[in-house]
Structures are given as structure tokens and as C-alpha cells.
Amino acid sequence: MTIEIDNDSGFCFGVTTAIEKAEETLRSGQRLSCLGDIVHNGMECERLNSMGLKTIEHDDFARLHDATVLLRAHGEPPSTYETAQRNNITLIDATCPVVLALQKRIKRKFEATRNDERQSDIVIFGKNGHAEVLGLVGQTEGKAIVIEHFEDVKKLDFSHNIYLYSQTTKSLDEFHRIIEYCKEHISKEATFQSFDTICRSVANRMPNICEFAEKHELILFVCGRKSSNGKVLYNACREHNSNTYLIEGPDEIQSKWLTGIESVGICGATSTPKWLMEQCKERIERI
């Protein structure tokens, strides 16, 4: 049996930077909390928690004073920064530069259109409640409309001006379908503009991961089940190789999957650490 780990899978730049900042701070002996899971991968979170990183939620953050808190790559709404200033919280801001640029674009558009004669809607293609999306909606004082799937676009009011953005880790193909639908249905009196804000760190992995899936008889896609980009990449693998399984770690690998298999491919999301994919390979070798 041959077992290959996809070289292009693993942490993206934003996640790598956030984890490096956490490790550097913890090694210096400082106490450090992270607002939300630093990455949507339970085993990587456990590793960092064992080093001393404490994960807190927004309710905890609101009650915190005189502490140091890491903001993860997903970004935060303006209210988080206001709370930090009010409570004397030192922030280590690891917001991904791609997300930060998107936040600024949405805020500028919101400010520029808030007094338009015709109502203007800022629409975000993304997952409701996702950390990044909450940060984006926060740039519009909570007024942006979030659509999760192509079918949701049909609920928009096309007599309004529509300015369409995307969460950075969504499917590029589905985003283009939404754009085409908006173009076809927008009122002649209204304005429609779309902005391709999908991160190429995810989108550029798509062709490679599809080719990788076709190379092997069995694909093990390793990622946390809360990972948005993981779902996009996993579904792409499934489309090109029906013998694909999503696992969070080596303990989920079932020996029956390997019966009669000569070629196994292991790949993952932008939130999947390389060490975890290596552990999955070792598990297969032991079986």
C-alpha cells in the first residue's frame, strides 16, 4: 500500500501567523486567552491549551479586565475592540490580512451608501454565526444581509441597490452562480455590484485537491467538522472520489476502509495541522 500526504494541504498563512503569535506569547511566560477557538481543529486547540492557552467566549471577554487576549485569524467586529479599550485588555491581533482588508471594504461601502435615496443592501455570502461573518456584519452596524446558499439569493429585494461580498472561505463556483442570478434579476433602476473576496489560499487549492483525489483509491480528508473551508474542500474531494471519508483524527480511521486498497491519499483544510495528517498516516501503517 502507498500512502501519500497532500503537500498543499495544511495551515494557510493567516492560521500559521495566529498560532505562531500564540506560541511566542506563551513561551515568554505570559498568560494568554484566545477569543474563540484559535483554529477550527479540536486537536490543535488541545495542543495549544496544554501549553497554557485559555479559550474564552464573548461573554467571558465582556467580563474580563487587565488581561491579554489573542484575536484569531477570523477577525472581530468593532464592538470587540471597544470592549478591550473599556476593560484595559491588551489585544494581540492576529486577524488575517485578507479578512482585515475585506472588513475595511465593507465598512467603506456601508458608510458611502447609508444615505442613498434608494435603499442599499450589503449582502454577504457566508455562514450565519461564523466568526468571520460576525466580524463582517459588525462593520455595517448589524445591517448586512447574510445568505448561506444559492437558494437564499431568491429572497433578496432586487428593487434595492445590492452590493455583494463573500466570506473568504466560501465556494467560488457557488458565489459565481449567485452573481449571475443577481445580474439577471436586479431592477433596471437599481445598482448591483459584486466583489470577489474569496481567499485564493482556499480557491487555489481546489484544482490540486481534485486531482489528488482522483489519484488514489481511498481519500481521508482530515479536518475539524466546524471548518467552513474544510466542508468546501471535502465536498470537492467527494465529487472526484466517492471513496472519501472526513475524519477529525487518526482514531476515526476504520480498518474496513483499507480492505483491498493499494493507494491512500491524506489531505486536509487550511485549518488542518501537518502533524495531524502525519499521525493519520502512522495509524494506517500500524493497521
Side-chain angles (χ1 to χ4, degrees):
M1 179 187 289
T2 60
I3 308 167
E4 181 185 5
I5 295 176
D6 176 31
N7 285 329
D8 290 332
S9 290
F11 290 154
C12 63
F13 169 80
V15 172
T16 298
T17 301
I19 289 173
E20 286 177 349
K21 286 185 175 183
E23 290 176 331
E24 181 182 351
T25 305
L26 292 168
R27 280 195 295 266
S28 72
Q30 290 187 60
R31 290 186 177 180
L32 180 64
S33 298
C34 182
L35 187 52
D37 290 338
I38 191 169
V39 62
H40 286 154
N41 185 280
M43 296 184 75
E44 178 66 6
C45 289
E46 287 176 15
R47 184 185 72 83
L48 290 166
N49 289 345
S50 71
M51 293 178 63
L53 182 66
K54 182 180 179 182
T55 301
I56 62 172
E57 302 303 329
H58 283 81
D59 288 346
D60 306 312
F61 183 75
R63 296 189 293 268
L64 205 60
H65 291 79
D66 309 313
T68 302
V69 175
L70 178 85
L71 302 185
R72 56 196 175 166
H74 301 90
E76 286 290 325
S79 57
T80 296
Y81 295 88
E82 292 163 7
T83 299
Q85 188 170 14
R86 188 167 57 247
N87 292 1
N88 193 35
I89 295 171
T90 300
L91 295 178
I92 299 175
D93 196 341
T95 302
C96 171
V98 177
V99 174
L100 190 60
L102 174 54
Q103 287 183 347
K104 291 177 179 177
R105 288 180 70 175
I106 288 176
K107 185 177 180 65
R108 284 197 300 267
K109 180 61 73 175
F110 175 70
E111 294 294 341
T113 60
R114 66 191 308 169
N115 296 319
D116 285 355
E117 289 185 15
R118 180 179 294 275
Q119 183 171 334
S120 294
D121 293 336
I122 290 178
V123 179
I124 299 168
F125 172 44
K127 182 180 178 182
N128 264 306
H130 187 278
E132 180 188 326
V133 173
L134 292 174
L136 300 178
V137 172
Q139 309 305 316
T140 67
E141 299 174 0
K143 295 178 181 176
I145 298 169
V146 178
I147 57 173
E148 291 202 15
H149 308 287
F150 171 75
E151 291 300 316
D152 296 336
V153 74
K154 300 173 184 178
K155 301 173 186 176
L156 298 178
D157 188 337
F158 290 102
S159 67
H160 296 177
N161 296 330
I162 294 177
Y163 301 97
L164 177 66
Y165 299 83
S166 176
Q167 178 183 339
T168 60
T169 53
K170 293 296 281 183
S171 162
L172 192 56
D173 288 343
E174 192 170 8
F175 186 54
H176 285 159
R177 285 182 67 204
I178 291 169
I179 291 171
E180 290 308 312
Y181 188 93
C182 290
K183 285 180 178 177
E184 291 169 7
H185 291 83
I186 193 74
S187 165
K188 291 180 180 178
E189 291 76 33
T191 297
F192 170 69
Q193 288 183 332
S194 62
F195 306 91
D196 184 352
T197 53
I198 292 174
C199 177
R200 288 308 183 262
S201 181
V202 176
N204 290 346
R205 292 187 185 195
M206 194 69 73
N208 170 74
I209 211 160
C210 294
E211 183 181 332
F212 182 80
E214 291 175 349
K215 280 172 56 180
H216 299 282
E217 293 175 274
L218 169 67
I219 293 293
L220 298 181
F221 190 89
V222 189
C223 83
R225 289 185 169 85
K226 291 194 291 184
S227 170
S228 290
N229 80 86
K231 289 174 184 173
V232 172
L233 293 171
Y234 166 69
N235 287 331
C237 284
R238 286 273 301 176
E239 287 176 13
H240 289 263
N241 186 333
S242 59
N243 197 25
T244 296
Y245 295 91
L246 189 149
I247 59 172
E248 289 199 334
D251 292 344
E252 295 183 17
I253 298 172
Q254 298 183 30
S255 57
K256 65 181 180 181
W257 298 344
L258 306 173
T259 303
I261 297 294
E262 295 182 2
S263 173
V264 179
I266 300 172
C267 51
T270 60
S271 53
T272 305
K274 286 284 189 185
W275 62 261
L276 186 54
M277 288 184 279
E278 290 286 355
Q279 283 189 359
C280 291
K281 180 180 179 182
E282 292 166 7
R283 168 72 172 160
I284 294 169
E285 290 169 341
R286 286 198 301 274
I287 292 173

